Amino acid sequence: VLAQANNQFAFEFYQVMQKANPQKNLIFSPFSFEIAFGMLQAGAVGEAKNELNKYFHYPNGENLGADFQRLQQGISKLQTDSCQIKLANSIWIENTLRIKPAYKNYLQKYFDSQLFQEDFSNPQTLGKVNNWVSQATNEKIPQILDKLGRESALILINTIYFNAAWLKPFDGKKTHDEY
């Protein structure tokens, strides 16, 4: 069910982005969107939850945590000596806000998510977020944010690190840079 929802969201999102940027190449991870917003959906109630369910095609009234957990575990099992896959999730919450223990436990159980409560007005928090992302991506993304806005209250992060050889390598001589 979750895979079908992810596929439907991916096609719809691609069409919107392609229409908005017709001359650009697009790359995005629908899986990352699904995971990050799945973490948000787990804590949402009422109209907010209904809107997330509608937009991401989550089945209404179902506990999706176990589905997200199985999906992430299945992807992690694809890792071999020649194929590295590393998934990581985190939620950063302004320290003036309170997290319900049940929500925190849910995120840790089903999303293997780390939760951090930080002072978003402290400049060191930005470094902590960027350092976490850098470590989660084997330093492929050394900086994800360049500032935290005064209105920031929550940061959802999902990272996927993937490194593997091509099944059919391409000839580098047949490529060139376009500017």
PDB file of all heavy atoms in Angstrom, residues 33-64:
ATOM      1  N   PHE A  33      10.786  12.125   0.556  1.00  0.00           N
ATOM      2  CA  PHE A  33       9.592  12.910   0.864  1.00  0.00           C
ATOM      3  C   PHE A  33       8.628  12.090   1.713  1.00  0.00           C
ATOM      4  O   PHE A  33       8.086  12.576   2.706  1.00  0.00           O
ATOM      5  CB  PHE A  33       8.862  13.336  -0.427  1.00  0.00           C
ATOM      6  CG  PHE A  33       9.435  14.533  -1.099  1.00  0.00           C
ATOM      7  CD1 PHE A  33      10.306  14.396  -2.166  1.00  0.00           C
ATOM      8  CD2 PHE A  33       9.091  15.809  -0.690  1.00  0.00           C
ATOM      9  CE1 PHE A  33      10.821  15.502  -2.812  1.00  0.00           C
ATOM     10  CE2 PHE A  33       9.602  16.928  -1.323  1.00  0.00           C
ATOM     11  CZ  PHE A  33      10.472  16.770  -2.388  1.00  0.00           C
ATOM     12  N   GLU A  34       8.383  10.855   1.295  1.00  0.00           N
ATOM     13  CA  GLU A  34       7.441   9.994   2.000  1.00  0.00           C
ATOM     14  C   GLU A  34       7.865   9.769   3.451  1.00  0.00           C
ATOM     15  O   GLU A  34       7.048   9.817   4.357  1.00  0.00           O
ATOM     16  CB  GLU A  34       7.290   8.641   1.289  1.00  0.00           C
ATOM     17  CG  GLU A  34       6.582   8.719  -0.033  1.00  0.00           C
ATOM     18  CD  GLU A  34       5.071   8.810   0.075  1.00  0.00           C
ATOM     19  OE1 GLU A  34       4.503   8.450   1.118  1.00  0.00           O
ATOM     20  OE2 GLU A  34       4.457   9.227  -0.916  1.00  0.00           O
ATOM     21  N   ILE A  35       9.149   9.502   3.661  1.00  0.00           N
ATOM     22  CA  ILE A  35       9.642   9.260   5.018  1.00  0.00           C
ATOM     23  C   ILE A  35       9.533  10.525   5.869  1.00  0.00           C
ATOM     24  O   ILE A  35       8.998  10.503   6.981  1.00  0.00           O
ATOM     25  CB  ILE A  35      11.099   8.746   4.995  1.00  0.00           C
ATOM     26  CG1 ILE A  35      11.172   7.358   4.368  1.00  0.00           C
ATOM     27  CG2 ILE A  35      11.708   8.762   6.390  1.00  0.00           C
ATOM     28  CD1 ILE A  35      10.505   6.258   5.158  1.00  0.00           C
ATOM     29  N   ALA A  36      10.044  11.633   5.356  1.00  0.00           N
ATOM     30  CA  ALA A  36      10.032  12.875   6.136  1.00  0.00           C
ATOM     31  C   ALA A  36       8.603  13.295   6.487  1.00  0.00           C
ATOM     32  O   ALA A  36       8.298  13.613   7.642  1.00  0.00           O
ATOM     33  CB  ALA A  36      10.748  13.987   5.376  1.00  0.00           C
ATOM     34  N   PHE A  37       7.726  13.260   5.501  1.00  0.00           N
ATOM     35  CA  PHE A  37       6.358  13.670   5.776  1.00  0.00           C
ATOM     36  C   PHE A  37       5.570  12.592   6.501  1.00  0.00           C
ATOM     37  O   PHE A  37       4.575  12.869   7.150  1.00  0.00           O
ATOM     38  CB  PHE A  37       5.670  14.154   4.496  1.00  0.00           C
ATOM     39  CG  PHE A  37       6.130  15.534   4.120  1.00  0.00           C
ATOM     40  CD1 PHE A  37       7.147  15.710   3.201  1.00  0.00           C
ATOM     41  CD2 PHE A  37       5.577  16.648   4.718  1.00  0.00           C
ATOM     42  CE1 PHE A  37       7.598  16.972   2.878  1.00  0.00           C
ATOM     43  CE2 PHE A  37       6.024  17.916   4.409  1.00  0.00           C
ATOM     44  CZ  PHE A  37       7.042  18.087   3.480  1.00  0.00           C
ATOM     45  N   GLY A  38       6.018  11.343   6.420  1.00  0.00           N
ATOM     46  CA  GLY A  38       5.435  10.283   7.237  1.00  0.00           C
ATOM     47  C   GLY A  38       5.705  10.538   8.717  1.00  0.00           C
ATOM     48  O   GLY A  38       4.849  10.291   9.572  1.00  0.00           O
ATOM     49  N   MET A  39       6.911  11.047   9.013  1.00  0.00           N
ATOM     50  CA  MET A  39       7.229  11.403  10.400  1.00  0.00           C
ATOM     51  C   MET A  39       6.333  12.544  10.866  1.00  0.00           C
ATOM     52  O   MET A  39       5.854  12.546  12.000  1.00  0.00           O
ATOM     53  CB  MET A  39       8.707  11.783  10.539  1.00  0.00           C
ATOM     54  CG  MET A  39       9.660  10.615  10.357  1.00  0.00           C
ATOM     55  SD  MET A  39      11.386  10.990  10.785  1.00  0.00           S
ATOM     56  CE  MET A  39      11.863  12.142   9.510  1.00  0.00           C
ATOM     57  N   LEU A  40       6.091  13.500   9.982  1.00  0.00           N
ATOM     58  CA  LEU A  40       5.219  14.618  10.326  1.00  0.00           C
ATOM     59  C   LEU A  40       3.778  14.150  10.482  1.00  0.00           C
ATOM     60  O   LEU A  40       3.085  14.520  11.438  1.00  0.00           O
ATOM     61  CB  LEU A  40       5.311  15.695   9.233  1.00  0.00           C
ATOM     62  CG  LEU A  40       4.576  16.993   9.496  1.00  0.00           C
ATOM     63  CD1 LEU A  40       5.156  17.706  10.714  1.00  0.00           C
ATOM     64  CD2 LEU A  40       4.649  17.885   8.269  1.00  0.00           C
ATOM     65  N   GLN A  41       3.324  13.306   9.566  1.00  0.00           N
ATOM     66  CA  GLN A  41       1.950  12.790   9.602  1.00  0.00           C
ATOM     67  C   GLN A  41       1.668  12.051  10.897  1.00  0.00           C
ATOM     68  O   GLN A  41       0.577  12.118  11.437  1.00  0.00           O
ATOM     69  CB  GLN A  41       1.714  11.879   8.382  1.00  0.00           C
ATOM     70  CG  GLN A  41       0.305  11.376   8.219  1.00  0.00           C
ATOM     71  CD  GLN A  41       0.077   9.985   8.812  1.00  0.00           C
ATOM     72  OE1 GLN A  41       0.924   9.427   9.492  1.00  0.00           O
ATOM     73  NE2 GLN A  41      -1.093   9.445   8.552  1.00  0.00           N
ATOM     74  N   ALA A  42       2.680  11.348  11.406  1.00  0.00           N
ATOM     75  CA  ALA A  42       2.503  10.571  12.638  1.00  0.00           C
ATOM     76  C   ALA A  42       2.135  11.457  13.826  1.00  0.00           C
ATOM     77  O   ALA A  42       1.469  11.004  14.754  1.00  0.00           O
ATOM     78  CB  ALA A  42       3.776   9.784  12.945  1.00  0.00           C
ATOM     79  N   GLY A  43       2.534  12.712  13.785  1.00  0.00           N
ATOM     80  CA  GLY A  43       2.216  13.620  14.891  1.00  0.00           C
ATOM     81  C   GLY A  43       1.086  14.581  14.596  1.00  0.00           C
ATOM     82  O   GLY A  43       0.678  15.345  15.468  1.00  0.00           O
ATOM     83  N   ALA A  44       0.586  14.542  13.372  1.00  0.00           N
ATOM     84  CA  ALA A  44      -0.465  15.478  12.979  1.00  0.00           C
ATOM     85  C   ALA A  44      -1.835  14.972  13.444  1.00  0.00           C
ATOM     86  O   ALA A  44      -2.037  13.775  13.648  1.00  0.00           O
ATOM     87  CB  ALA A  44      -0.459  15.653  11.464  1.00  0.00           C
ATOM     88  N   VAL A  45      -2.764  15.883  13.582  1.00  0.00           N
ATOM     89  CA  VAL A  45      -4.146  15.549  13.936  1.00  0.00           C
ATOM     90  C   VAL A  45      -5.089  16.374  13.073  1.00  0.00           C
ATOM     91  O   VAL A  45      -4.695  17.377  12.476  1.00  0.00           O
ATOM     92  CB  VAL A  45      -4.451  15.818  15.440  1.00  0.00           C
ATOM     93  CG1 VAL A  45      -3.637  14.901  16.342  1.00  0.00           C
ATOM     94  CG2 VAL A  45      -4.199  17.273  15.795  1.00  0.00           C
ATOM     95  N   GLY A  46      -6.323  15.944  13.015  1.00  0.00           N
ATOM     96  CA  GLY A  46      -7.377  16.709  12.354  1.00  0.00           C
ATOM     97  C   GLY A  46      -7.110  16.997  10.894  1.00  0.00           C
ATOM     98  O   GLY A  46      -6.678  16.129  10.133  1.00  0.00           O
ATOM     99  N   GLU A  47      -7.362  18.246  10.510  1.00  0.00           N
ATOM    100  CA  GLU A  47      -7.245  18.659   9.104  1.00  0.00           C
ATOM    101  C   GLU A  47      -5.813  18.522   8.584  1.00  0.00           C
ATOM    102  O   GLU A  47      -5.605  18.161   7.421  1.00  0.00           O
ATOM    103  CB  GLU A  47      -7.729  20.108   8.944  1.00  0.00           C
ATOM    104  CG  GLU A  47      -7.861  20.553   7.500  1.00  0.00           C
ATOM    105  CD  GLU A  47      -8.856  19.722   6.692  1.00  0.00           C
ATOM    106  OE1 GLU A  47      -9.816  19.164   7.265  1.00  0.00           O
ATOM    107  OE2 GLU A  47      -8.663  19.624   5.459  1.00  0.00           O
ATOM    108  N   ALA A  48      -4.835  18.803   9.421  1.00  0.00           N
ATOM    109  CA  ALA A  48      -3.437  18.662   8.987  1.00  0.00           C
ATOM    110  C   ALA A  48      -3.135  17.216   8.592  1.00  0.00           C
ATOM    111  O   ALA A  48      -2.513  16.954   7.555  1.00  0.00           O
ATOM    112  CB  ALA A  48      -2.487  19.122  10.089  1.00  0.00           C
ATOM    113  N   LYS A  49      -3.568  16.278   9.400  1.00  0.00           N
ATOM    114  CA  LYS A  49      -3.355  14.859   9.095  1.00  0.00           C
ATOM    115  C   LYS A  49      -4.102  14.464   7.823  1.00  0.00           C
ATOM    116  O   LYS A  49      -3.569  13.754   6.965  1.00  0.00           O
ATOM    117  CB  LYS A  49      -3.782  13.977  10.263  1.00  0.00           C
ATOM    118  CG  LYS A  49      -3.396  12.519  10.097  1.00  0.00           C
ATOM    119  CD  LYS A  49      -3.724  11.742  11.372  1.00  0.00           C
ATOM    120  CE  LYS A  49      -2.887  10.497  11.445  1.00  0.00           C
ATOM    121  NZ  LYS A  49      -1.854  10.528  12.440  1.00  0.00           N
ATOM    122  N   ASN A  50      -5.339  14.937   7.678  1.00  0.00           N
ATOM    123  CA  ASN A  50      -6.125  14.638   6.489  1.00  0.00           C
ATOM    124  C   ASN A  50      -5.453  15.163   5.227  1.00  0.00           C
ATOM    125  O   ASN A  50      -5.432  14.491   4.192  1.00  0.00           O
ATOM    126  CB  ASN A  50      -7.539  15.217   6.605  1.00  0.00           C
ATOM    127  CG  ASN A  50      -8.355  14.515   7.669  1.00  0.00           C
ATOM    128  OD1 ASN A  50      -8.073  13.380   8.048  1.00  0.00           O
ATOM    129  ND2 ASN A  50      -9.364  15.201   8.172  1.00  0.00           N
ATOM    130  N   GLU A  51      -4.903  16.374   5.293  1.00  0.00           N
ATOM    131  CA  GLU A  51      -4.227  16.963   4.131  1.00  0.00           C
ATOM    132  C   GLU A  51      -2.963  16.176   3.772  1.00  0.00           C
ATOM    133  O   GLU A  51      -2.689  15.938   2.600  1.00  0.00           O
ATOM    134  CB  GLU A  51      -3.878  18.429   4.399  1.00  0.00           C
ATOM    135  CG  GLU A  51      -5.080  19.348   4.383  1.00  0.00           C
ATOM    136  CD  GLU A  51      -5.757  19.424   3.022  1.00  0.00           C
ATOM    137  OE1 GLU A  51      -5.056  19.530   1.997  1.00  0.00           O
ATOM    138  OE2 GLU A  51      -6.997  19.360   2.981  1.00  0.00           O
ATOM    139  N   LEU A  52      -2.189  15.772   4.766  1.00  0.00           N
ATOM    140  CA  LEU A  52      -1.004  14.959   4.489  1.00  0.00           C
ATOM    141  C   LEU A  52      -1.389  13.620   3.885  1.00  0.00           C
ATOM    142  O   LEU A  52      -0.758  13.154   2.921  1.00  0.00           O
ATOM    143  CB  LEU A  52      -0.175  14.757   5.770  1.00  0.00           C
ATOM    144  CG  LEU A  52       0.583  15.992   6.258  1.00  0.00           C
ATOM    145  CD1 LEU A  52       1.058  15.795   7.693  1.00  0.00           C
ATOM    146  CD2 LEU A  52       1.751  16.304   5.340  1.00  0.00           C
ATOM    147  N   ASN A  53      -2.413  12.995   4.432  1.00  0.00           N
ATOM    148  CA  ASN A  53      -2.892  11.721   3.890  1.00  0.00           C
ATOM    149  C   ASN A  53      -3.318  11.876   2.431  1.00  0.00           C
ATOM    150  O   ASN A  53      -3.008  11.034   1.587  1.00  0.00           O
ATOM    151  CB  ASN A  53      -4.051  11.170   4.709  1.00  0.00           C
ATOM    152  CG  ASN A  53      -3.621  10.650   6.059  1.00  0.00           C
ATOM    153  OD1 ASN A  53      -2.446  10.400   6.303  1.00  0.00           O
ATOM    154  ND2 ASN A  53      -4.571  10.490   6.950  1.00  0.00           N
ATOM    155  N   LYS A  54      -4.015  12.957   2.142  1.00  0.00           N
ATOM    156  CA  LYS A  54      -4.497  13.201   0.783  1.00  0.00           C
ATOM    157  C   LYS A  54      -3.333  13.453  -0.178  1.00  0.00           C
ATOM    158  O   LYS A  54      -3.248  12.834  -1.232  1.00  0.00           O
ATOM    159  CB  LYS A  54      -5.445  14.405   0.797  1.00  0.00           C
ATOM    160  CG  LYS A  54      -5.989  14.794  -0.555  1.00  0.00           C
ATOM    161  CD  LYS A  54      -6.897  16.006  -0.423  1.00  0.00           C
ATOM    162  CE  LYS A  54      -7.263  16.552  -1.794  1.00  0.00           C
ATOM    163  NZ  LYS A  54      -8.021  17.807  -1.672  1.00  0.00           N
ATOM    164  N   TYR A  55      -2.437  14.353   0.181  1.00  0.00           N
ATOM    165  CA  TYR A  55      -1.354  14.752  -0.714  1.00  0.00           C
ATOM    166  C   TYR A  55      -0.385  13.607  -0.991  1.00  0.00           C
ATOM    167  O   TYR A  55       0.056  13.416  -2.117  1.00  0.00           O
ATOM    168  CB  TYR A  55      -0.616  15.961  -0.135  1.00  0.00           C
ATOM    169  CG  TYR A  55       0.386  16.547  -1.095  1.00  0.00           C
ATOM    170  CD1 TYR A  55      -0.042  17.306  -2.181  1.00  0.00           C
ATOM    171  CD2 TYR A  55       1.745  16.338  -0.938  1.00  0.00           C
ATOM    172  CE1 TYR A  55       0.847  17.846  -3.072  1.00  0.00           C
ATOM    173  CE2 TYR A  55       2.655  16.871  -1.838  1.00  0.00           C
ATOM    174  CZ  TYR A  55       2.207  17.622  -2.897  1.00  0.00           C
ATOM    175  OH  TYR A  55       3.099  18.142  -3.783  1.00  0.00           O
ATOM    176  N   PHE A  56      -0.067  12.834   0.045  1.00  0.00           N
ATOM    177  CA  PHE A  56       0.898  11.737  -0.115  1.00  0.00           C
ATOM    178  C   PHE A  56       0.221  10.390  -0.365  1.00  0.00           C
ATOM    179  O   PHE A  56       0.894   9.377  -0.454  1.00  0.00           O
ATOM    180  CB  PHE A  56       1.824  11.669   1.106  1.00  0.00           C
ATOM    181  CG  PHE A  56       2.793  12.811   1.137  1.00  0.00           C
ATOM    182  CD1 PHE A  56       2.537  13.927   1.905  1.00  0.00           C
ATOM    183  CD2 PHE A  56       3.941  12.788   0.368  1.00  0.00           C
ATOM    184  CE1 PHE A  56       3.413  15.004   1.919  1.00  0.00           C
ATOM    185  CE2 PHE A  56       4.819  13.857   0.371  1.00  0.00           C
ATOM    186  CZ  PHE A  56       4.560  14.971   1.142  1.00  0.00           C
ATOM    187  N   HIS A  57      -1.103  10.412  -0.438  1.00  0.00           N
ATOM    188  CA  HIS A  57      -1.893   9.204  -0.727  1.00  0.00           C
ATOM    189  C   HIS A  57      -1.740   8.133   0.352  1.00  0.00           C
ATOM    190  O   HIS A  57      -1.798   6.947   0.071  1.00  0.00           O
ATOM    191  CB  HIS A  57      -1.547   8.646  -2.115  1.00  0.00           C
ATOM    192  CG  HIS A  57      -1.697   9.652  -3.191  1.00  0.00           C
ATOM    193  ND1 HIS A  57      -2.930  10.043  -3.659  1.00  0.00           N
ATOM    194  CD2 HIS A  57      -0.773  10.387  -3.869  1.00  0.00           C
ATOM    195  CE1 HIS A  57      -2.754  10.972  -4.596  1.00  0.00           C
ATOM    196  NE2 HIS A  57      -1.467  11.196  -4.734  1.00  0.00           N
ATOM    197  N   TYR A  58      -1.532   8.588   1.593  1.00  0.00           N
ATOM    198  CA  TYR A  58      -1.485   7.645   2.708  1.00  0.00           C
ATOM    199  C   TYR A  58      -2.902   7.133   2.954  1.00  0.00           C
ATOM    200  O   TYR A  58      -3.854   7.913   2.915  1.00  0.00           O
ATOM    201  CB  TYR A  58      -0.997   8.309   3.998  1.00  0.00           C
ATOM    202  CG  TYR A  58       0.392   8.897   3.956  1.00  0.00           C
ATOM    203  CD1 TYR A  58       0.664  10.101   4.593  1.00  0.00           C
ATOM    204  CD2 TYR A  58       1.450   8.249   3.335  1.00  0.00           C
ATOM    205  CE1 TYR A  58       1.936  10.653   4.598  1.00  0.00           C
ATOM    206  CE2 TYR A  58       2.720   8.796   3.332  1.00  0.00           C
ATOM    207  CZ  TYR A  58       2.960   9.996   3.970  1.00  0.00           C
ATOM    208  OH  TYR A  58       4.209  10.536   3.977  1.00  0.00           O
ATOM    209  N   PRO A  59      -3.054   5.858   3.258  1.00  0.00           N
ATOM    210  CA  PRO A  59      -4.386   5.352   3.590  1.00  0.00           C
ATOM    211  C   PRO A  59      -4.889   6.005   4.880  1.00  0.00           C
ATOM    212  O   PRO A  59      -4.159   6.110   5.848  1.00  0.00           O
ATOM    213  CB  PRO A  59      -4.163   3.851   3.799  1.00  0.00           C
ATOM    214  CG  PRO A  59      -2.834   3.554   3.206  1.00  0.00           C
ATOM    215  CD  PRO A  59      -2.040   4.821   3.249  1.00  0.00           C
ATOM    216  N   ASN A  60      -6.110   6.479   4.859  1.00  0.00           N
ATOM    217  CA  ASN A  60      -6.687   7.118   6.047  1.00  0.00           C
ATOM    218  C   ASN A  60      -6.950   6.102   7.147  1.00  0.00           C
ATOM    219  O   ASN A  60      -7.330   4.966   6.877  1.00  0.00           O
ATOM    220  CB  ASN A  60      -8.011   7.814   5.700  1.00  0.00           C
ATOM    221  CG  ASN A  60      -7.786   9.128   5.003  1.00  0.00           C
ATOM    222  OD1 ASN A  60      -6.855   9.857   5.320  1.00  0.00           O
ATOM    223  ND2 ASN A  60      -8.628   9.435   4.040  1.00  0.00           N
ATOM    224  N   GLY A  61      -6.731   6.536   8.378  1.00  0.00           N
ATOM    225  CA  GLY A  61      -7.084   5.720   9.523  1.00  0.00           C
ATOM    226  C   GLY A  61      -6.146   4.575   9.821  1.00  0.00           C
ATOM    227  O   GLY A  61      -6.409   3.783  10.709  1.00  0.00           O
ATOM    228  N   GLU A  62      -5.075   4.461   9.089  1.00  0.00           N
ATOM    229  CA  GLU A  62      -4.160   3.348   9.337  1.00  0.00           C
ATOM    230  C   GLU A  62      -2.899   3.837  10.036  1.00  0.00           C
ATOM    231  O   GLU A  62      -2.442   4.948   9.820  1.00  0.00           O
ATOM    232  CB  GLU A  62      -3.764   2.671   8.019  1.00  0.00           C
ATOM    233  CG  GLU A  62      -4.891   1.897   7.383  1.00  0.00           C
ATOM    234  CD  GLU A  62      -4.411   1.064   6.210  1.00  0.00           C
ATOM    235  OE1 GLU A  62      -3.254   0.597   6.234  1.00  0.00           O
ATOM    236  OE2 GLU A  62      -5.205   0.882   5.277  1.00  0.00           O
ATOM    237  N   ASN A  63      -2.347   2.984  10.869  1.00  0.00           N
ATOM    238  CA  ASN A  63      -1.058   3.237  11.479  1.00  0.00           C
ATOM    239  C   ASN A  63      -0.002   2.845  10.449  1.00  0.00           C
ATOM    240  O   ASN A  63       0.200   1.674  10.161  1.00  0.00           O
ATOM    241  CB  ASN A  63      -0.912   2.410  12.757  1.00  0.00           C
ATOM    242  CG  ASN A  63       0.449   2.560  13.391  1.00  0.00           C
ATOM    243  OD1 ASN A  63       1.396   3.066  12.798  1.00  0.00           O
ATOM    244  ND2 ASN A  63       0.559   2.114  14.624  1.00  0.00           N
ATOM    245  N   LEU A  64       0.652   3.839   9.885  1.00  0.00           N
ATOM    246  CA  LEU A  64       1.616   3.583   8.814  1.00  0.00           C
ATOM    247  C   LEU A  64       3.018   3.285   9.333  1.00  0.00           C
ATOM    248  O   LEU A  64       3.894   2.928   8.553  1.00  0.00           O
ATOM    249  CB  LEU A  64       1.669   4.788   7.877  1.00  0.00           C
ATOM    250  CG  LEU A  64       0.363   5.124   7.171  1.00  0.00           C
ATOM    251  CD1 LEU A  64       0.534   6.390   6.340  1.00  0.00           C
ATOM    252  CD2 LEU A  64      -0.080   3.975   6.302  1.00  0.00           C
TER     253      LEU A  64
END
